[in-house]
Amino acid sequence: MFDDLSTSALRVAVTGLSARQNAIANNIANVETPGFRARKVKFEEALSGAITRGQSPLGVSPSTSESLEPTRLNGNNVNLDEETLSHIDTTMRYQLTLRAIDSKYGLLRDAIKGA
C-alpha cells in the first residue's frame, strides 16, 4: 500500500519540491552576493520518464544545476522577480502534493476504522 506507484511518485515529488524550495531560499538570500550563481532544481522530467517507462519513481532524485541566466555587473545572476514567482509556484505545488498524500492516507485511515 505504501509503495504503490502513486504514493512513491508523491513522495519523490515532495522531496523534489522541498529541494527546490531550499534552492530558491538560498538564491533569494544571496541576491546581492557578488559572483553568486542561482541554483535550479529539476526532477519532474525524470519522474515522468520513470513512470512512463514503468520504473519505480523511488529511483528518481532531484538534480541541482547552476542557472545559465546572464549575470549583472557583480557576477550575480539571481533574478528576484523570477525567484519570487518560482517560490509561489513551488509552494502551491508542494501544498497540492501534501493534500494528495493526506487524502490517500485518509482513505487508508477510513478503511482501517471500518468507516
Side-chain angles (χ1 to χ4, degrees):
M1 174 67 188
F2 298 111
D3 287 333
D4 64 287
L5 183 64
S6 61
T7 302
S8 298
L10 289 168
R11 279 196 274 163
V12 169
V14 166
T15 301
L17 292 166
S18 178
R20 183 173 292 148
Q21 285 177 326
N22 288 331
I24 292 168
N26 190 44
N27 291 344
I28 291 172
N30 287 287
V31 70
E32 293 298 329
T33 303
F36 182 82
R37 299 289 189 137
R39 308 292 191 289
K40 302 295 179 194
V41 174
K42 296 181 182 180
F43 67 93
E44 291 92 345
E45 286 181 23
L47 178 57
S48 176
I51 292 170
T52 301
R53 290 186 301 274
Q55 298 172 336
S56 171
L58 295 177
V60 175
S61 59
S63 66
T64 304
S65 60
E66 237 180 49
S67 172
L68 300 176
E69 295 295 318
T71 61
R72 297 191 303 273
L73 293 176
N74 68 357
N76 185 307
N77 72 344
V78 176
N79 180 329
L80 189 56
D81 292 336
E82 182 182 313
E83 296 298 329
T84 302
L85 289 174
S86 184
H87 170 68
I88 292 167
D89 179 69
T90 302
T91 300
M92 290 173 58
R93 289 173 188 259
Y94 189 84
Q95 289 173 348
L96 181 64
T97 304
L98 289 180
R99 283 185 186 168
I101 291 171
D102 185 52
S103 175
K104 195 158 179 59
Y105 287 122
L107 291 171
L108 182 61
R109 253 189 325 269
D110 290 345
I112 291 170
K113 287 181 184 177

